[in-house]
Amino acid sequence: MGASLGALVFFVRGFAAMRAAAGGNRLSTVGLWTGTAGAIAVGVQFAIDMVVGFLSADRGAVDELFTQVQDIPGVLPAFYDFGPLLFFVGQLILVSQLAKRGVLKPWAPLLVLIDTTLPFADKDLIPLGAVLLLVSFAPLWRTREVAAEPPADAKVLV
């Protein structure tokens, strides 16, 4: 769970960097906050799943406790049905903005969309989706490395 929550934190940081690279316009800001809301929903879902697992002695107890938690009004839509989808919607908005600006390749949004839909076809395709994200986001890493290098004619203050 810790690794999953840590990954979500890094995604949110990445969303903020993507927003900045997209120029910080209104749509990229919507992408940042939509993706962040989705990340929070996914994080709460992870936490619920882990707590239910720790508190339950067997599979029957897990099912019973999940039923009790999910019967709380708003839990299912916010943390299981629709809330987590905001993570992917925000990500797609940001990637589309970056592709529009030429920061990412024009096909990057399509790869992100495919990554989003692969688990619905088969959970075993999740690693393929991760590779697609890596290919989509690789230019961001190179852009970051280039941006970190000072210009050759930069003056050094001592």
Side-chain angles (χ1 to χ4, degrees), residues 5-153:
L5 292 176
L8 289 173
V9 170
F10 284 117
F11 260 106
V12 171
R13 289 191 65 200
F15 290 165
M18 292 166 76
R19 177 191 170 271
N25 62 25
R26 196 171 296 174
L27 190 53
S28 64
T29 301
V30 167
L32 166 65
W33 290 110
T34 302
T36 300
I40 291 168
V42 170
V44 170
Q45 182 187 109
F46 285 159
I48 290 170
D49 293 352
M50 293 304 295
V51 169
V52 165
F54 286 134
L55 294 177
S56 301
D58 57 23
R59 182 64 192 175
V62 166
D63 293 342
E64 185 179 323
L65 193 50
F66 263 128
T67 300
Q68 290 174 8
V69 170
Q70 293 175 349
D71 281 346
I72 298 170
V75 168
L76 274 177
F79 305 117
Y80 287 90
D81 296 335
F82 304 111
L85 294 177
L86 296 175
F87 176 81
F88 301 105
V89 171
Q91 186 177 40
L92 190 58
I93 290 169
L94 289 164
V95 169
S96 297
Q97 287 290 293
L98 291 172
K100 180 180 170 186
R101 291 180 61 102
V103 176
L104 293 177
K105 302 289 184 189
W107 40 261
L110 178 61
L111 292 182
V112 171
L113 183 61
I114 292 169
D115 165 65
T116 301
T117 58
L118 281 176
F120 294 110
D122 189 338
K123 300 278 189 220
D124 291 337
L125 296 175
I126 290 174
L128 173 61
V131 171
L132 294 178
L133 281 183
L134 183 62
V135 169
S136 299
F137 293 157
L140 293 176
W141 182 258
R142 283 181 280 176
T143 303
R144 182 175 171 229
E145 288 176 344
V146 170
E149 296 175 13
D153 61 344

